[in-house]
Amino acid sequence: MRLLATGRAVRFTWSKRSGTISRAKLWINVNIQYQQRPQSTAAHTAAPTFKSPVKAPALEVDGKLYSVDDWTNVPASILSFLPRKLHLQPSHPVSITRQVIESNFPSPTYTHYNHLHPIVSVAQNFDSLGFPQDHPGRSRSDTYYLNKDTVLRTHTSAHEAEIFRDNKSEGYTISADVYRRDAIDRSHYPVFHQMEGARMWDRRKVLGGDVAKAVWKDLELLPKHNLEVEDPNPTIHPERNPLQAEHHTTEEAEAIAAHLKKSLEGVVVELFSRARNAAAAAGNADANAIEPLRVRWVEAYFPFTSPSWELEVFWQGDWLEILGCGVTKQELYINAGVPHKLGWAFGIGLERVAMLLYSIPDIRLFWSNDPRFLSQFSTLEKISTYVPFSKYPACYKDVSFWLRSSSSSAGGGSKANAQDFHENDVMEIVRDVGGDLVEDVRLTDEFTHPASGRKSFCYRINYRSLERTLTNEETNQLHDDVRKSLVEKLGVELR
């Protein structure tokens, strides 16, 4: 990334290697304009300050300005993903997966939200959901901050409170791109797509205030299935899966749980029946691919539901967790100003389900524009098994470094010592330099010097393109850029 002067403003450009070692400029809607730096708060007293006449920039994203401060850690490479919205591309596997799931939650009972903007306030993303101030999800090591008050949403639940208050329908789904600083491997990516759904009942609107009776009546209207379901545990367990006794009766929780499970079992039947039909049509005679579908409910813990469960599917010889769900914590309704409502909620990762359904081995493929990938997924009616078009060679390179012996930073992208170093900072630097030409990054060695106490780390980086063979010259240049960036941004000493 570099800055280009345009009068009194400067503009970000983001470079991504493609095809050759030369870099093609990708313009994104991010401008820098100089504004007066906001006053530091007590929480940021250790951070560097600006003296007049030096002024800090502001980010402009989609025509809106966001002030930049000590919390800002979102790179231009991540902001460039905002326009992609894979869940809205008609012939993309993420979008097809979304549409199949949505079909099981019909209107007018459910409203589908697919166009909510990914930039949200800290209050929306954390405070409205009851995240404590010391929750690790709030840290700059885990979350992309535009500034101390504004983030790229880390989950679709950031919009939950406003939808509760909006009260358009008895239920809803949200599908959206979400952003997290994370590891680099074939199943993790800094941008992915979540879908959540909820169903609510209003104590004031059901006959006689009998929510349990109303829920059971609604359950009878759900489609029937012949799915083999294992559900050995009681709905409520005082230690493992407690009732929200101060808000719900046992009868209400039992009814809501039954409606939730029946609704989501229908989703699994729809998704995996299509996948089994695709495997059979492709001539896959493997017994694991065409055996009768089995699912099971497993007790779980989630901060926003109680009691809670995970739904697992026995697929290709193994039990796989598909989604999490439960009876919504009543505090969420109370905080949203609708204390008279109660109900259930679920959350599902669209990439995870799509990887299972289509047998896609690497999450980077979802972001590929290669027609050899995209042409394999054309219709909603048919889920087809992914056919690899090639396997290009890997190139492994190691980078070793010492951490600084002292630092005043707070992690999350700043120069780090042993106390504030976070592995996600390394991942972010490698990702920013190498983009989708990096398949995975793994820690291979960690060492503390017995005399000085300094810490050393060694990471192995696997450079591999999904679309072509990388040249030695190109890989060497990438790795050299990674090493330089580690020194520049983290202040490490290379070994």
Side-chain angles (χ1 to χ4, degrees):
M1 184 178 70
R2 58 192 178 126
L3 297 176
L4 297 182
T6 56
R8 291 193 60 191
V10 291
R11 178 183 290 175
F12 275 125
T13 64
W14 178 60
S15 299
K16 182 177 180 181
R17 292 170 171 81
S18 60
T20 68
I21 196 168
S22 62
R23 300 182 176 185
K25 296 175 184 175
L26 172 63
W27 290 99
I28 60 176
N29 188 23
V30 182
N31 294 300
I32 298 294
Q33 294 185 352
Y34 290 110
Q35 294 186 340
Q36 181 63 46
R37 181 183 181 88
Q39 294 296 316
S40 296
T41 63
H44 306 131
T45 53
T49 59
F50 286 81
K51 297 180 180 180
S52 183
V54 178
K55 298 179 181 180
L59 286 173
E60 181 185 345
V61 185
D62 290 341
K64 184 175 180 180
L65 285 175
Y66 299 89
S67 62
V68 173
D69 59 25
D70 303 324
W71 282 76
T72 305
N73 68 348
V74 57
S77 56
I78 294 298
L79 290 172
S80 71
F81 285 102
L82 268 64
R84 294 290 301 274
K85 304 185 187 305
L86 303 185
H87 65 294
L88 299 178
Q89 297 181 18
S91 298
H92 196 282
V94 170
S95 177
I96 295 172
T97 302
R98 170 190 64 81
Q99 293 173 72
V100 173
I101 298 174
E102 277 184 359
S103 68
N104 287 266
F105 300 101
S107 59
T109 301
Y110 294 87
T111 300
H112 302 299
Y113 297 88
N114 295 320
H115 299 274
L116 299 172
H117 201 275
I119 297 177
V120 299
S121 68
V122 168
Q124 287 174 292
N125 201 73
F126 297 120
D127 300 342
S128 69
L129 298 166
F131 278 76
Q133 290 298 317
D134 60 351
H135 192 281
R138 289 180 179 262
S139 73
R140 293 194 306 155
S141 296
D142 284 20
T143 297
Y144 291 111
Y145 280 82
L146 279 76
N147 55 47
K148 66 182 180 64
D149 299 316
T150 314
V151 298
L152 293 178
R153 64 182 164 220
T154 62
H155 44 219
T156 52
S157 298
H159 306 283
E160 201 170 77
E162 60 196 272
I163 291 176
F164 287 160
R165 288 191 294 267
D166 200 24
N167 196 30
K168 281 187 175 180
S169 56
E170 296 170 329
Y172 69 82
T173 67
I174 304 173
S175 298
D177 45 329
V178 299
Y179 300 78
R180 296 181 191 174
R181 300 175 95 236
D182 210 338
I184 299 177
D185 57 43
R186 288 186 294 174
S187 61
H188 292 87
Y189 207 77
V191 192
F192 58 101
H193 295 77
Q194 277 188 343
M195 183 176 190
E196 75 169 65
R199 177 69 160 89
M200 296 157 281
W201 289 265
D202 192 324
R203 293 188 188 278
R204 304 171 306 175
K205 296 181 180 179
V206 300
L207 185 63
D210 192 340
V211 171
K213 184 177 180 180
V215 175
W216 285 115
K217 184 178 179 180
D218 287 337
L219 185 146
E220 290 302 314
L221 302 177
L222 296 177
K224 305 297 188 293
H225 65 72
N226 297 317
L227 185 64
E228 180 183 343
V229 179
E230 300 176 25
D231 193 7
N233 298 308
T235 301
I236 299 166
H237 188 280
E239 286 84 30
R240 300 194 309 264
N241 228 359
L243 171 73
Q244 299 176 56
E246 66 275 30
H247 300 295
H248 305 155
T249 67
T250 299
E251 293 74 19
E252 288 171 340
E254 292 277 2
I256 291 171
H259 191 284
L260 164 65
K261 291 180 177 180
K262 189 67 169 292
S263 299
L264 296 178
E265 288 162 7
V267 171
V268 169
V269 169
E270 180 73 19
L271 285 168
F272 285 87
S273 293
R274 292 182 184 230
R276 288 170 57 227
N277 292 339
N284 186 348
D286 191 316
N288 289 328
I290 59 177
E291 68 178 2
L293 186 62
R294 296 166 55 195
V295 304
R296 68 183 182 189
W297 289 102
V298 179
E299 292 175 334
Y301 167 79
F302 301 110
F304 311 131
T305 56
S306 186
S308 305
W309 302 272
E310 290 177 343
L311 181 59
E312 297 184 343
V313 175
F314 193 76
W315 183 247
Q316 298 184 355
D318 198 8
W319 285 103
L320 303 173
E321 183 263 318
I322 298 299
L323 56 83
C325 62
V327 178
T328 304
K329 286 282 186 72
Q330 201 63 28
E331 287 82 358
L332 299 182
Y333 296 119
I334 294 171
N335 292 342
V338 288
H340 43 275
K341 292 186 177 183
L342 65 165
W344 54 252
F346 75 89
I348 188 168
L350 292 178
E351 276 91 346
R352 174 168 175 76
V353 174
M355 290 176 81
L356 294 175
L357 295 179
Y358 294 95
S359 299
I360 294 173
D362 193 313
I363 197 169
R364 292 177 297 164
L365 280 163
F366 290 115
W367 297 94
S368 175
N369 288 314
D370 193 316
R372 293 173 296 178
F373 174 75
L374 295 175
S375 63
Q376 298 187 37
F377 317 100
S378 57
T379 66
L380 175 62
E381 290 71 26
K382 181 182 177 181
I383 290 178
S384 55
T385 301
Y386 167 67
V387 179
F389 44 82
S390 187
K391 181 71 171 178
Y392 296 100
C395 181
Y396 294 95
K397 292 187 178 293
D398 291 349
V399 57
S400 301
F401 54 82
W402 293 101
L403 296 183
R404 298 193 312 157
S405 58
S406 63
S407 172
S408 61
S409 78
S414 300
K415 295 183 178 181
N417 65 1
Q419 284 69 48
D420 53 39
F421 172 78
H422 198 287
E423 187 172 86
N424 281 352
D425 296 336
V426 175
M427 300 293 175
E428 194 64 37
I429 288 170
V430 175
R431 181 181 290 117
D432 201 41
V433 172
D436 286 352
L437 300 183
V438 179
E439 183 173 286
D440 60 64
V441 179
R442 301 179 186 276
L443 179 67
T444 59
D445 184 58
E446 182 176 347
F447 171 73
T448 301
H449 195 282
S452 67
R454 293 184 71 189
K455 298 200 72 171
S456 169
F457 295 90
C458 179
Y459 286 90
R460 178 157 296 168
I461 305 173
N462 175 15
Y463 297 95
R464 190 207 307 262
S465 171
L466 293 165
E467 300 171 354
R468 59 189 175 81
T469 298
L470 299 177
T471 66
N472 287 332
E473 180 186 19
E474 185 175 12
T475 306
N476 290 338
Q477 183 62 56
L478 278 170
H479 196 62
D480 188 52
D481 289 347
V482 166
R483 289 165 55 87
K484 290 177 180 177
S485 193
L486 287 169
V487 173
E488 177 186 347
K489 296 182 178 180
L490 294 186
V492 301
E493 178 184 335
L494 296 175
R495 297 183 63 187

